[in-house]
Each structure stands twice: as C-alpha cells, then as structure tokens.
Amino acid sequence: MIIDLASLAPQQWVCPPGQRRIEYVDKGGIGLYLELRMSSPIGTYYLRYKNAQGKTCHQKIGSSAVLTVAEARREAKRIKAEITLGADPRAEAAAKRAVPTLAEFFQNHYLPHVKPRKRSWMRDDQLFNPRIKDALGSTRLDRVTRQEIQRLHTKLLEEGLAPATANHHVRLIKHCYYLAMEWGMADRNPAARMALFHEDNTVENYLGDQELAHLLKILRTDSNVAVCRVALFLLSTGCRVGEALRAKWSDVDIERRLFVISATNSKSRKLRSVPLNDTAIEVLQALPKGGESEFVFVNPETNKPFTDIRWSWVRLRKRAGFPNLRLHDLRHQYASLLVNGGRSLYEVQQILGHSDPKVTMRYAHLSTKALLDAANSASEKLRRTEVATGE
C-alpha cells in the first residue's frame, strides 16, 4: 500500500486483522517503507533498492519507536545516495558477518595451518585456551583492538604469569593476524609493534657437587626408571627434552659414540651430532631393545614414546629437594660441567648446538674457576723459577 507515511497516525500503525504482515510504502519513490507485523505493535523502516546485479534488496533503517518519518526519510536518502555511488549496504553487512571471530579463526584456520609446520603447535593451543579465548575469542577479527590486547597482556602479568609467558600470548595473537592478513581475512594487525615486558630468561639452577650427587642418587634409585633414564641422558648429553624424547635407535651409533639429531628434531633446523660420553652410553645400554618401537625412550605402560614427562619430573625434583629445578636446567648443568672442566666456550657451543655464540656466552661466568686455575699455573711457575735460581 503506497501512502504518505507522515499522514498515517501512530494509532493506525497496526497490522490488519487476518494478516501476518503489511507494508506501507512511502510516497516519493525513494523506496522507503514501513513494515508492520501482527506479532509486534512497533513497526520497522526499510529501504528497498536494487543492487548492481539488479537484485531487489532490503536494508533495515530502524524502529518506528525510535525514528520519526522525517528521520527515516533522511536516512533512506543518505543510503540511496551511497548506493548510487556504488555502495551495497546488504553486501557489506554480509561481508562483515562472514568475518570470523578470533576463536573461529584460530580453530578453523590457524591450527590446521601450523600443525604440519610447527612442532610446538600444542603450546599455541595451550596459550590460546582459555586465556586468549576468554578475553578476545568471541570478537570478530576486524573488531579486536590494540587496547584490548594490551589489557589482556597486563592482566596476565597481574595473575602471576612470568613476563616471558605473558609475551608469548601477545606473540601468538600477532602471528595469527599476520596469517590472517596474508590470507586476505584481515587488513591490519592490532598487535604489531606492541611493547612487550622485559624478559629475564637467564634464570638457571646450578647444583653444587653434593646436590648433584644427591640428584644422581635419586635418579638411579627411584621406581620410575624410564623417566629417570631420560633425565640421566639429558644430564649426560645436554640435549633438549624434545630432542631426547623424539630420538630413534636409527639416530644412535654406540660404536662411534654419536647421537645424530635430525634437522626436523633440532631447534636450529640443522643436523647436529652429539658426542655420547660414558654415562650416556651407560643409559642407552641399559634400555630395553628388540621391542616394537623405533624410539629410544618408551613409556613402559603404553609401549609408546614419551610425549611429556613434566609431571613425573615434578615428583622427582620434589623428592630430591629441588622444587625449582626444571628439566631444561639439566642442559645448563651439563654446560656448567663442561665449562668448569676447562672446555672452551666454542666447544660448548658446538656440543649444545647453539647457532649464535652469544647464547653460549651466558656460561662465561662459570669459567672463573678454570681461569683461576690457569692464573695459578703462572704463579706456580714463578715460584719454581725462584726456587731453582735461588733468587
């Protein structure tokens, strides 16, 4: 029904009996109409228009309880002008609805992409769920703001997370957006160039001789023999936990006393050979062989390779009286044994597989005893010279 909407009194804005809905089209040819439904006493203004493909579309303008007819007409004219210039409000609205939330993007796009490409993808899943998901997961990619990410970043630190861990959350969000931009699903990265917390990641727990002896006693007598052997291997080789757990018998050459870490298992993505000392050989020779598994360290309860031994290690370190000793500290302990044994930092770098010598320099302070011994050797030479010459 075509009428002058302004001439229609509000009490006449009702759906006729027996009809579910009715449209009152405003005179003037703009395309504005008022829709009334039997289920509601309040009408809704719409603009009817044709898109570039000639398809009839309907753009909602607003409620008759909020907008007057004059206001609805002005808004209809504004939208019509934009359409004349090439805009399509319905298509734009549909495009916005098609933008996934951050949680949908992470689950349906990010994870399928990184699973075959990143060994630590499970760590990303742990970082996202639940903290990032709870804070930002329900927000569309194009609506997440830099301030929201910064607020989450600060909150994580206030909850007691280490600065490095809080930073990892921001780095994950940043990586998600880099991929989204690459795939044309986002046009900006709200986490780009965001200031991170200062990370003091040089924390290392070194054991003295008595403490080390006590730990070795625990590792040689505890009932969890399989995990103790892994720990002994780490302490004897300086390998990373993942490198040891992914080790296969085909990587081990006991005769040549070498453990070859493939590029796919190495953090540096480069092939690396680790020399096997007597204690490492002892661990390997004590392991059961001839089973179905090709892996060196196998969980005796499942007959499958270990994937994570952290909880078993928590119990072992508490029993040893070192509640803060991390598995990675066994790698540092091995490095300290090399340095204090007089080995050069270059040798330590090669054995540990550091691609950057700056990383190895964190152990430089441990060489004090070796340097002091070297200095004392000159002192002894001076004394012997004095005695020999009688001066």
Side-chain angles (χ1 to χ4, degrees):
M1 180 183 300
I2 301 177
I3 64 170
D4 181 356
L5 288 180
S7 66
L8 194 66
Q11 59 267 25
Q12 295 177 289
W13 293 0
V14 293
C15 188
Q19 290 185 231
R20 297 185 60 187
R21 63 182 293 275
I22 188 172
E23 291 180 4
Y24 290 107
V25 181
D26 191 32
K27 284 184 177 181
I30 300 176
L32 174 68
Y33 68 88
L34 176 67
E35 180 191 69
L36 297 171
R37 290 181 177 271
M38 181 181 64
S39 58
S40 174
I42 300 174
T44 306
Y45 292 110
Y46 285 91
L47 174 67
R48 184 184 286 110
Y49 70 96
K50 289 186 180 295
N51 62 15
Q53 290 74 41
K55 180 181 178 180
T56 299
C57 301
H58 304 263
Q59 175 63 32
K60 182 178 178 180
I61 295 177
S63 168
S64 63
V66 176
L67 298 175
T68 64
V69 174
E71 291 171 336
R73 284 172 175 169
R74 283 196 296 270
E75 182 64 11
K77 289 179 180 179
R78 186 191 65 78
I79 297 174
K80 198 69 178 286
E82 291 181 352
I83 294 172
T84 303
L85 294 174
D88 187 348
R90 293 299 297 164
E92 292 169 5
K96 287 182 179 180
R97 288 195 299 271
V99 175
T101 64
L102 182 58
E104 290 170 343
F105 175 82
F106 182 82
Q107 190 64 41
N108 301 329
H109 301 277
Y110 179 84
L111 280 182
H113 173 76
V114 299
K115 280 183 178 179
R117 295 174 173 84
K118 190 177 182 182
R119 289 198 303 266
S120 60
W121 68 265
M122 285 188 290
R123 175 58 175 160
D124 288 352
D125 198 25
Q126 292 170 351
L127 290 172
F128 193 88
N129 296 291
R131 291 187 175 93
I132 298 177
K133 183 177 181 180
D134 289 349
L136 306 170
S138 60
T139 307
R140 287 203 326 246
L141 276 179
D142 58 346
R143 292 292 182 86
V144 175
T145 66
R146 189 179 188 86
Q147 184 180 15
E148 288 174 321
I149 300 173
Q150 289 173 329
R151 191 181 300 123
L152 171 63
H153 193 208
T154 302
K155 181 182 176 183
L156 295 176
L157 195 66
E158 292 173 347
E159 290 178 353
L161 268 66
T165 305
N167 289 344
H168 286 324
H169 287 76
V170 174
R171 291 190 182 102
L172 175 57
I173 296 173
K174 186 187 300 183
H175 190 202
C176 284
Y177 271 95
Y178 279 141
L179 290 177
M181 292 172 65
E182 183 178 333
W183 298 333
M185 302 176 71
D187 56 7
R188 64 185 181 87
N189 189 336
R193 298 182 299 279
M194 183 174 290
L196 301 178
F197 297 127
H198 174 69
E199 301 177 13
D200 182 7
N201 61 354
T202 59
V203 176
E204 296 148 8
N205 298 304
Y206 295 109
L207 302 179
D209 290 346
Q210 288 188 336
E211 293 172 322
L212 181 58
H214 181 60
L215 176 63
L216 289 172
K217 180 180 179 181
I218 295 296
L219 296 180
R220 294 188 185 281
T221 60
D222 192 84
S223 59
N224 194 339
V225 177
V227 171
C228 287
R229 284 171 175 164
V230 176
L232 281 169
F233 187 77
L234 299 177
L235 193 55
S236 302
T237 60
C239 289
R240 299 178 177 90
V241 181
E243 294 171 342
L245 298 186
R246 289 188 292 269
K248 298 180 180 179
W249 284 112
S250 57
D251 302 325
V252 176
D253 189 334
I254 292 182
E255 289 187 6
R256 295 176 59 205
R257 302 173 73 91
L258 282 178
F259 167 40
V260 179
I261 300 175
S262 64
T264 56
N265 289 341
S266 174
K267 183 178 179 180
S268 63
R269 299 289 184 180
K270 295 180 181 179
L271 186 73
R272 175 166 129 252
S273 296
V274 177
L276 298 174
N277 55 28
D278 291 343
T279 52
I281 294 291
E282 177 187 327
V283 170
L284 293 173
Q285 290 178 333
L287 292 171
K289 297 175 185 170
E292 298 180 359
S293 179
E294 60 181 331
F295 290 89
V296 174
F297 296 104
V298 179
N299 187 333
E301 296 181 1
T302 63
N303 290 322
K304 294 181 179 180
F306 284 107
T307 57
D308 192 351
I309 61 171
R310 283 177 296 177
W311 295 114
S312 297
W313 175 250
V314 167
R315 183 188 67 81
L316 285 168
R317 70 186 186 185
K318 285 183 179 179
R319 185 187 168 201
F322 311 124
N324 297 318
L325 188 68
R326 305 165 301 175
L327 278 167
H328 197 69
D329 287 326
L330 301 183
R331 176 174 165 87
H332 296 316
Q333 186 69 34
Y334 175 75
S336 75
L337 295 175
L338 293 179
V339 173
N340 286 324
R343 313 318 304 183
S344 69
L345 290 179
Y346 175 79
E347 291 173 307
V348 175
Q349 177 192 348
Q350 297 305 307
I351 293 175
L352 295 184
H354 291 156
S355 56
D356 188 344
K358 292 181 181 178
V359 179
T360 317
M361 285 301 295
R362 73 193 303 172
Y363 304 113
H365 68 283
L366 299 175
S367 61
T368 303
K369 181 178 182 299
L371 294 175
L372 183 59
D373 290 343
N376 283 335
S377 66
S379 176
E380 292 172 4
K381 175 64 175 176
L382 292 174
R383 289 197 182 100
R384 287 197 300 269
T385 301
E386 285 181 328
V387 171
T389 60
E391 295 292 335

